[in-house]
Amino acid sequence: MTDFVSELIKKVKPSATIAVSMKAAELRAAGKDVIGLGAGEPDFDTPDHIKAAAIEAINNGQTKYTAVDGTAELKQAVIDKFKCENGLDFVANQILVSCGAKHSISNLLAAVLNPGDEVIIPAPYWVSYPDMALLAGGKSVIVTTTQEQDFKITPEQLENAISDKSRLIILNTPSNPTGKAYRKAELQALGEVLLKYPQVMIATDDIYEHIYWGDEEITNLGVLFPKLMDRMVFINGVSKAYAMTGWRIGYAAGPVAVIAAMRKIQSQATSNPCSISQAASVAALNGPQDCLVPMKKAFKERHDWLVKALNDLPGFSCLEGEGAFYAFPNVEKVISRIDGVSTDVELSTWLLENAKVAVVPGTPFGAPGHVRLSFATSMDNLNIAVKRIKDCL
Ligand code: PMP
Ligand code: GLU
């Protein structure tokens, strides 16, 4: 039979995080007692006032196409958010609302990459960045960071990674999967390097900015270096902060020409994101923010408990994070103890089969020898999961 699949798509890997979540859901549906620590999505329900805004939008007939780049109300809410929370000034033609931050990032890559352009991606990275870059015709340049350096890229590493072909660097802080966030001094040092290379754009994926408990107020390269603003794109969305993963609303803010190019792609690909989700997102951004407090508190409590519990397990070595909802322990010593297991991928399968706990291997995050456990689940589930892993080991 004719093979209709393109050569490019054959090179693209499916999302490992989604694959693990689906596998766990499948096993549960088949009656298997599996605890899923794969999914990176808040276990909380979307706050009531946000749901009410969506219901009102349906009843008011906000059921038609909207402007491709988002409704005027939502774009204004995004502008106000950047002003109040991040100290950044944008106008409406610098904002594009898309179907999730994932869509914002893929629009950006498609808008700025020429064939063979290099995208600098510090590892561990969110699983999707390299494959999204590949889909857009780019080439990933992976910069490996270690637990010893808190999984953060140094200015020297950044400088060494930049070449004539570099087009974009993707920073993600707080990070999925490490939970680590760049401190002001660290961003300052990276910014000094970036100032020297005007051909390099900077994408900062700040989707976890509200799930942050570091000892220093979170800042960004745009505030620290206003001169970088004409080549910075800020990616964010409502999925993680407001427990709205299913609503599919993300947004990007950046230079007018780049946002216009992204809008053009979106106009030919998806048109506007869901009108009802946009109305809900206006309520999320403009409404009371106290709904964020209990969620953040719960994530922090689970983080503290899980990191300690993992470090008490033989062979696990886990850093504390400052945000997001993932623990990312080094498990090389665990791997070496188990017969028939020689990689993090095999260990993840072993844990699923033996402990009935689903975790995501580190390899698809560019960090072999690690696994990612999501603590976007109840303390009860975390307790059972750790007990099962302990019993198996
Ligand atoms: N960036 C990071 C680092 C993520 O973990 C996610 C999670 N899906 C996204 C972007 C995309 O989020 P969404 O598309 O749900 O807005
Ligand atoms: N970002 C989440 C995760 O890393 C959701 C799944 C995905 O989009 O990759 O698990």
Side-chain angles (χ1 to χ4, degrees), residues 16-39:
T17 46
I18 292 181
V20 169
S21 312
M22 282 172 62
K23 175 90 189 156
E26 234 172 66
L27 289 170
R28 269 198 304 269
K32 301 263 173 4
D33 171 26
V34 167
I35 308 246
L37 305 185

Side-chain angles (χ1 to χ4, degrees), residues 82 85-88 90 171 173 182-184 187-188 204 206 209 217-226 228-229 232 234:
F82 277 118
E85 293 183 351
N86 309 102
L88 297 168
F90 292 107
L171 291 174
T173 178
Y182 284 94
R183 301 179 76 85
K184 183 178 173 188
L187 283 179
Q188 256 158 346
T204 172
D206 303 332
E209 71 170 342
E217 206 183 312
I218 220 158
T219 187
N220 67 72
L221 276 173
V223 162
L224 297 174
F225 297 92
L228 290 178
M229 281 300 281
M232 282 199 70
F234 294 81

Side-chain angles (χ1 to χ4, degrees), residues 99-103 105 126 129 172 176 205 207-208 239-240 245 248-250 326:
C99 309
K102 198 176 220 170
H103 187 209
I105 300 165
W126 178 40
Y129 298 145
N172 170 218
N176 174 4
D205 177 349
I207 192 103
Y208 294 101
S239 283
K240 313 289 172 169
T245 43
R248 309 309 302 129
I249 296 290
Y326 309 106

Side-chain angles (χ1 to χ4, degrees), residues 302-324:
R302 296 168 187 178
H303 161 272
D304 293 353
W305 184 87
L306 182 62
V307 170
K308 183 175 179 317
L310 290 175
N311 281 324
D312 286 344
L313 291 177
F316 281 73
S317 159
C318 189
L319 293 183
E320 291 198 344
E322 287 98 40

Side-chain angles (χ1 to χ4, degrees), residues 184-206:
K184 183 178 173 188
E186 291 162 340
L187 283 179
Q188 256 158 346
L190 296 179
E192 295 291 350
V193 175
L194 290 163
L195 277 179
K196 294 193 271 175
Y197 298 95
Q199 81 275 19
V200 181
M201 289 191 65
I202 304 134
T204 172
D205 177 349
D206 303 332

Side-chain angles (χ1 to χ4, degrees), residues 35-96:
I35 308 246
L37 305 185
E41 72 172 339
D43 51 323
F44 302 106
D45 198 4
T46 304
D48 284 341
H49 71 281
I50 300 175
K51 290 189 196 171
I55 293 164
E56 201 185 313
I58 295 174
N59 289 335
N60 285 345
Q62 292 181 48
T63 52
K64 312 281 188 215
Y65 292 134
T66 73
V68 164
D69 48 350
T71 61
E73 294 76 23
L74 180 51
K75 287 175 63 174
Q76 189 56 50
V78 169
I79 290 170
D80 296 343
K81 172 251 167 329
F82 277 118
K83 179 77 184 156
C84 300
E85 293 183 351
N86 309 102
L88 297 168
D89 289 305
F90 292 107
V91 291
N93 62 357
Q94 292 185 283
I95 307 292
L96 176 70

